[in-house]
Amino acid sequence: MWTLSGFVDEISPDFTEQCRVASGLGLKYVELRSAWEINILDLEPEQLTVMKETLAEHGLRASSIGSPIGKIFIDEPFPPHLERMRHAAEVARFFAAPYVRIFSFFLRPGADPAEHRAEVIERMRALARVAEEADLVLLHENEKEIYGDVPARCLDVVRSVGSPHLRLAWDAANFVQVGVRPYTDGYAALRPHIEYVQIKDALAADGTVVPAGEGDGEVAETIRALRHDEFDGFFSLEPHLATGHTTGGFSGPEHFRRAWQAFTDLLTAEGIEYA
């Protein structure tokens, strides 16, 4: 039984609307990234309390905190960002979320990733130590233009840090947008470290994001392999069907439902049960 979740801020800026649509689709979990157009790490304690109460009212729980940790340039100061990671851990504990999504730092245009590798690994180890202290698992997402945007460097990050508190979030669309065939080029090497799957697809021709199964993200091949490998984890809808940018994306209620339908149709066609 696979468990569905979703970045519900793609539904609406209003958190009650986010929860209403999510629960209407039968979701039991959601991924928390923003509410009222404010990033989850910048909300006031009172707003977080309202969110927690609203989740409970709709029978929802948090699968992950969709944080922006690691979405700064590698040459920007790290100590303030490390403090922000500690706050992210506090927010995750507040919502009883087992995961915090992170990134491995943007590189300046034209930069050689190898020249920044040591600093990336040092910073990722520091982030992982915070997760260890908080008993959380960090999920490294393969965002484009960060150090870990291709399979080889995703593998380098997770192997070099060597912590059970740092795992991988698989994003097929982001791989497509950097010229990678996700399943063909990355699945075998990354599978031992994949803990979480984000559901969006993209066209190789121009990077346009499309519903799962309608692009070049090899989504069907990937879910078949995950089933064969007895994967048991979260699949989080991140449609980006209206807009996408460095801090997130938006779809609206109808496009979010369309994304849910496309992915659940794939699961049904493959005979995979989900909740």
Side-chain angles (χ1 to χ4, degrees), residues 10 14 41 71 86 89 95 99 131 170 185 210 265:
E10 295 222 7
D14 180 72
L41 302 189
K71 273 198 170 184
R86 294 190 179 101
F95 286 105
Y99 299 110
W170 173 277
D185 298 338
V210 294
D265 283 351

Side-chain angles (χ1 to χ4, degrees), residues 111-130:
D112 180 359
E115 293 182 359
H116 298 282
R117 179 186 179 277
E119 180 66 19
V120 168
I121 300 305
E122 182 179 344
R123 290 183 176 199
M124 296 300 286
R125 284 177 178 150
L127 297 177
R129 284 195 291 271
V130 174

